[in-house]
Each structure stands twice: as structure tokens, then as C-alpha cells.
Amino acid sequence: MEKETIKKNLLEDAKTLVNQEMLNDFRVKYLGKKGIVTELSKEMKDLDGEGKRELGKTIQELKSLVEETIFTVGKELHDKALKERLEKEAIDISLPAIPVVEGGLHPLTKVVEEIEDIFVSMGYDVVEGPEVEEDLYNFEKLNLPKGHPARDAQDSFYIEDESILLRTQTSPVQARVMDANEEKGPIRIICPGKTYRRDDDDATHSHQFTQIEGLVVDETISIADLKGTLEIALKKLFGSQREIRFRPSFFPFTEPSLEVDISCFKCGGTGCSLCKETGWIEILGSGMVHPNVLRNCGYDPEKYTGFAFGLGPERIAMLKYGINDIRSFYTNDFRFLGEFKRKDGDR
Ligand code: DAH
């Protein structure tokens, strides 16, 4: 075949190549074992001198043309395929992301942690005690012997016989810590935990609830320490503008006993529905540790004195967050729990 015809055909063929398969066939057609250019080069052996050089040049030119075509068309095909794939697999970044469900702390956990932080910053240790408790610690050592009328207010769930029960208060942790202290030295603790009472559940009562107990025992502890400590803690918890009021009360394990109120944070003390028009909100019970309790736990009441307090995180959370049904804490309604999700800056 004439050199010019081959070239013309080759250029015509090159225009028709639209896929990798055709590109392969094209290569075979010209450069394969029996390809047109290969066949042409077989003619070399019959030539010499000028003719050989001429043919050599032609073959070289045709080969280059084939290779260039394969290279350029191959690249075009590859780019086109890539473009199509990118378009097909494109991620639509305008689509809204699937929301990540983020957990949050339970409101009671938040209140307990806040109170722990306040007391830990004053040097207290956090101690926990058992929920299944002995009558000995829950009542007896706390100056509530069998038959004491104050036991009636704390009806419990008994385990097997009447000596083991679900603790009705966190106060037994006081007795446990004093008992376990071998040197009978100073103590400064708070004890958060679950407590149980045989109660009919309603908006303000729950058969299971939480308490935080506090106990300080040392050689020179006076009622001034109790008042100062609780005043600082309650102002940190409810705001420095709060006024604190101490009222005489009765608990078997303290003498004297004091009920602690804060000025109403809703009306500022003028009287509203939250404080039942009194201007004051009852927050916790406290008192100087009864000498009998110290004695029951191996402490010499002539040498040691102490103060104790007990508060209910449910009540504090209800007041702080305006919750009006205690059962909301335990029914696991996500709409309720979601209200307390950690906000930026929360611990
Ligand atoms: N344990 C008491 C209760 O459940 C609360 C309490 C009052 C604890 C006075 C104390 C305290 O430690 O001193 O009602």
C-alpha cells in the first residue's frame, strides 16, 4: 500500500476510536505481528541505500503517528471516564448531615456533681456507703433504737428479716465512716447516694430518691462552723444574694438540730407561690452530732464535736429547674431529660 494511503487511512481510523477496545484493535491493526506498519517494515530487507532510508523514515513516521494516537486518545478516554465517574459519584454536600445523638447528664447527676464540687473545694472527701444496710447503721447507731417513734417516718423495705433493709437515708454512712476510722481522728465527708422509703409515689414523694449527707468531726467544731459552711455552700448553689435562715428542729442524731431555709429565689423574699407566700424555702436538715452517735461509733464526745447535714438533690433540682413532679426524674422521658443536656461551659 502507498505510504500516503496508509497515513490517510490511519488518520481516518484515529477519528473513529471511542473506547479502549477500539484503541487496542487500532494498535493491532497497525503495529501488531501482522499489522500494516509491521508488514511494511518487512519490505526493508529488499531495499538498500536511499530506498531503505526512505522506507525507514516512513515506518518511523507511521509508528509515531500510531503511538501518538494511542497516547492522546487513551488520555482522552481516561479523562472522560474519570469525569463521568466523578459526576456519578459526587457527594451532595448540600444535603443535611445525619444528626449525631448526643447524651447528657441526668439533672440529679448534675446537682449531685455541683454539690460535690462545692464541698470538695472546701476539703471534703466524697464517700459512698451500701444501699442494702444494717438496721444497726441505718437507725441504731444514729440514736434511733428499736421502738423509737422517729422510725415511723422512715418505713423501709426489709430484706429477709428486720435487721437488713434498704437504707432510708444516707446518714448511716456517717456511722460507718466514724466506726471505720481507727485513729478516731477528724472527719470531713459528704456522702451522696440512693435511699428508699415505703411511700406511695405522687408528685412530691418517691419510694426511691437521693440524698447527700455531710459530716464534720474534729476537736473544736461548733455551731458557728455549721452555719458558716452551709451559708457558703448554699450561696454558691443558689446565688450570693440569697439569705440563709436557721430554725430549731429535731433529728434524733443531732442536738441541737437546725432546719435551714434560703430566701426565695423567685420572689426575693416578698412571698409567692413557690415559697407558699412565706418568702423562705426549706432546703436541708442539720445539727450538731448527738453525743450518743459519737459514742456509738467510738468517739469520745468530751473530746470531739461535729456537725452533720442531709439534703435531697431531687428537691434542689426541682427548685433550681422548676420541676413540679418528682417522678419525672425516674420515668426516663427523653423530652424531659433532653432539657438538661450539657451546655458549653458546663463541667
Ligand atoms: N437523714 C435525715 C432525713 O433523711 C436528714 C438529715 C437531717 C441528715 C439532719 C443529717 C442531719 O445528717 O444532721 O430526714
Side-chain angles (χ1 to χ4, degrees):
M1 219 191 292
E2 252 321 291
K3 171 199 158 191
E4 284 311 314
T5 323
I6 297 179
K7 190 173 169 185
K8 198 169 138 262
N9 290 350
L10 193 154
L11 291 173
E12 284 301 316
D13 283 351
K15 286 186 204 151
T16 64
L17 307 172
V18 291
N19 58 40
Q20 199 60 46
E21 208 183 337
M22 290 172 89
L23 204 59
N24 278 343
D25 293 345
F26 171 78
R27 191 180 51 77
V28 174
K29 179 174 175 185
Y30 289 94
L31 303 182
K33 255 190 209 154
K34 291 192 174 128
I36 295 169
V37 181
T38 320
E39 288 298 324
L40 197 61
S41 47
K42 286 179 189 161
E43 292 173 19
M44 287 283 272
K45 62 180 191 311
D46 307 325
L47 297 171
D48 50 17
E50 191 60 19
K52 199 166 189 165
R53 218 175 305 129
E54 273 283 310
L55 186 62
K57 245 177 89 186
T58 305
I59 291 169
Q60 207 42 55
E61 191 191 344
L62 291 171
K63 265 191 177 168
S64 303
L65 259 179
V66 176
E67 275 155 11
E68 269 168 36
T69 307
I70 291 174
F71 179 80
T72 11
V73 177
K75 188 167 182 309
E76 275 167 22
L77 287 177
H78 173 266
D79 289 353
K80 193 166 154 246
L82 183 68
K83 193 166 164 250
E84 279 171 5
R85 213 180 119 201
L86 285 176
E87 272 166 16
K88 208 170 98 206
E89 293 176 8
I91 296 167
D92 183 353
I93 55 162
S94 68
L95 273 180
I98 299 164
V100 178
V101 183
E102 211 185 322
L105 289 181
H106 191 280
L108 287 178
T109 308
K110 290 181 86 158
V111 166
V112 170
E113 287 188 353
E114 198 179 338
I115 295 169
E116 281 178 4
D117 278 355
I118 291 172
F119 283 96
V120 167
S121 78
M122 296 198 270
Y124 286 58
D125 288 329
V126 179
V127 182
E128 290 187 358
E131 288 170 32
V132 177
E133 185 54 283
E134 294 173 44
D135 181 281
L136 180 68
Y137 285 101
N138 196 76
F139 292 129
E140 205 94 13
K141 285 194 182 250
L142 297 173
N143 205 27
L144 276 141
K146 291 205 171 56
H148 192 294
R151 282 193 178 211
D152 293 350
Q154 301 197 7
D155 197 6
S156 180
F157 297 97
Y158 289 91
I159 315 273
E160 287 174 26
D161 62 47
E162 296 214 333
S163 65
I164 313 266
L165 44 82
L166 292 184
R167 66 178 177 191
T168 58
Q169 46 187 357
T170 43
S171 307
V173 188
Q174 288 187 32
R176 283 191 172 272
V177 171
M178 283 192 271
D179 247 9
N181 189 317
E182 281 173 16
E183 297 97 55
K184 300 298 167 201
I187 293 172
R188 207 182 300 165
I189 53 165
I190 53 160
C191 326
K194 295 193 191 77
T195 48
Y196 305 83
R197 284 186 201 179
R198 238 166 70 180
D199 245 339
D200 289 325
D201 293 1
D202 63 22
T204 51
H205 294 86
S206 169
H207 62 281
Q208 185 227 294
F209 53 102
T210 54
Q211 280 194 342
I212 298 181
E213 195 75 14
L215 174 70
V216 173
V217 176
D218 210 332
E219 291 188 27
T220 56
I221 298 299
S222 75
I223 206 163
D225 298 306
L226 178 159
K227 292 178 78 175
T229 304
L230 293 179
E231 182 155 353
I232 288 173
L234 291 174
K235 284 188 171 177
K236 278 198 183 165
L237 201 55
F238 288 101
S240 55
Q241 325 84 290
R242 299 280 74 75
E243 283 183 50
I244 316 293
R245 180 174 82 168
F246 295 86
R247 281 181 294 119
S249 183
F250 171 78
F251 299 105
F253 29 83
T254 46
E255 182 59 36
S257 301
L258 308 166
E259 204 79 54
V260 187
D261 303 337
I262 58 167
S263 57
C264 180
F265 45 80
K266 195 172 169 203
C267 62
T270 52
C272 69
S273 59
L274 185 69
C275 59
K276 300 195 186 85
E277 306 300 332
T278 64
W280 294 96
I281 295 178
E282 192 180 311
I283 291 294
L284 56 83
S286 66
M288 299 305 292
V289 181
H290 197 292
N292 286 351
V293 176
L294 289 167
R295 211 173 286 121
N296 290 344
C297 300
Y299 275 78
D300 177 2
E302 296 299 324
K303 190 173 167 205
Y304 280 97
T305 48
F307 71 82
F309 56 90
L311 54 84
E314 278 85 351
R315 180 164 167 73
I316 293 190
M318 286 168 89
L319 289 167
K320 252 180 110 97
Y321 301 126
I323 299 162
N324 47 28
D325 194 325
I326 196 169
R327 291 167 293 195
S328 312
F329 293 119
Y330 310 111
T331 41
N332 290 335
D333 184 336
F334 274 117
R335 289 166 302 179
F336 170 79
L337 296 173
E339 295 291 311
F340 302 93
K341 277 199 185 153
R342 204 178 280 239
K343 308 221 168 45
D344 282 349
D346 280 9
R347 52 161 279 175

